[in-house]
Amino acid sequence: GEDVEQSLFLSVREGDSSVINCTYTDSSSTYLYWYKQEPGAGLQLLTYIFSNMDMKQDQRLTVLLNKKDKHLSLRIADTQTGDSAIYFCAERPPGSARQLTFGSGTQLTVLP
Amino acid sequence: NAGVTQTPKFRVLKTGQSMTLLCAQDMNHEYMYWYRQDPGMGLRLIHYSVGEGTTAKGEVPDGYNVSRLKKQNFLLGLESAAPSQTSVYFCASWSPTEAFFGQGTRLTVV
């Protein structure tokens, strides 16, 4: 079955770039997503990428997709304290009734 | 436009009690989902629905039941709560490309 893996923790200094990595196993996934969860809140969609794309940029966010290695990354430029949160990657396989398989989440801590 | 609303936000149950969590969406979405979130495990799918009157099992359905009598509402029931069901529960509904999540229900079973 599908399995999405992420490292659990990442700490960066304010103003530095953050890179959160994710690996997935279902090579037929059509969409890959990044969600942000702040304490006590639900999940907020940050961005998503179609499987036929290699890169997507949206302001401070850059998503890179390496389909050969089944590797997805999220780069946050100029990381701010407000970026401290848990970040989840998720894959959506085709024909899955839009079911998402989530990684365990990466807790990003931004240090002043 | 409220999006996805979950009630209640917090609940404490005793082992063996029953309860129903309500998810309501005002976006006319067909697809709705219930997830549970446990530390270090991400979100796991409990049940889902692809339209009014339909339900299907997800990854961890045991101990839960669901109903989708109206398109805008998706109910998650616990018939006999167990401590292993202590978790944060999230509901989501889908547009064609994006899932919208509720704020979550924090359930503690003692």
Side-chain angles (χ1 to χ4, degrees):
Chain A
E2 305 95 350
D3 193 15
V4 179
E5 296 186 351
Q6 303 176 239
S7 54
L8 290 180
F9 302 100
L10 176 66
S11 293
V12 299
R13 293 283 179 189
E14 191 173 12
D16 288 350
S17 292
S18 308
V19 179
I20 302 171
N21 294 302
C22 172
T23 59
Y24 60 98
T25 59
D26 192 333
S27 58
S28 61
S29 289
T30 54
Y31 295 82
L32 294 138
Y33 297 82
W34 283 105
Y35 284 88
K36 176 183 180 182
Q37 185 183 35
E38 296 180 351
L43 276 69
Q44 171 195 356
L45 178 66
L46 285 178
T47 187
Y48 63 91
I49 188 167
F50 295 106
S51 58
N52 62 356
M53 298 170 65
D54 297 326
M55 185 182 83
K56 181 178 180 181
Q57 188 155 1
D58 183 2
Q59 299 182 336
R60 292 192 296 125
L61 305 179
T62 302
V63 178
L64 296 178
L65 176 60
N66 181 330
K67 287 192 70 175
K68 175 177 174 291
D69 295 336
K70 296 175 195 157
H71 183 265
L72 182 73
S73 68
L74 174 69
R75 178 177 181 269
I76 306 172
D78 187 25
T79 312
Q80 302 298 307
T81 55
D83 295 323
S84 292
I86 300 176
Y87 291 80
F88 292 93
C89 68
E91 63 176 346
R92 175 181 155 185
S96 61
R98 304 181 194 177
Q99 294 181 45
L100 292 175
T101 301
F102 286 87
S104 57
T106 299
Q107 172 73 61
L108 173 64
T109 301
V110 181
L111 305 171
Chain B
N1 186 341
V4 179
T5 304
Q6 291 182 233
T7 54
K9 290 185 170 50
F10 303 93
R11 185 72 185 269
V12 178
L13 285 181
K14 293 182 179 178
T15 298
Q17 285 185 319
S18 64
M19 77 163 293
T20 300
L21 283 68
L22 170 64
C23 177
Q25 53 96 1
D26 59 3
M27 296 172 283
N28 202 35
H29 291 164
E30 294 288 346
Y31 292 69
M32 296 185 73
Y33 300 78
W34 276 107
Y35 292 89
R36 60 177 288 173
Q37 183 182 23
D38 301 294
M41 299 186 72
L43 276 73
R44 292 181 292 168
L45 182 63
I46 305 171
H47 286 281
Y48 65 98
S49 169
V50 300
E52 182 179 316
T54 74
T55 63
K57 294 180 180 180
E59 180 185 356
V60 289
D62 294 343
Y64 305 95
N65 57 75
V66 287
S67 64
R68 184 94 181 270
L69 299 179
K70 294 183 178 180
K71 187 177 184 179
Q72 64 267 34
N73 295 335
F74 194 29
L75 279 65
L76 177 71
L78 287 74
E79 291 184 348
S80 179
S84 60
Q85 294 177 304
T86 293
S87 188
V88 181
Y89 292 85
F90 287 100
C91 175
S93 71
W94 270 91
S95 72
T97 55
E98 179 180 349
F100 294 82
F101 285 83
Q103 292 298 296
T105 296
R106 186 173 295 274
L107 175 66
T108 302
V109 183
V110 298

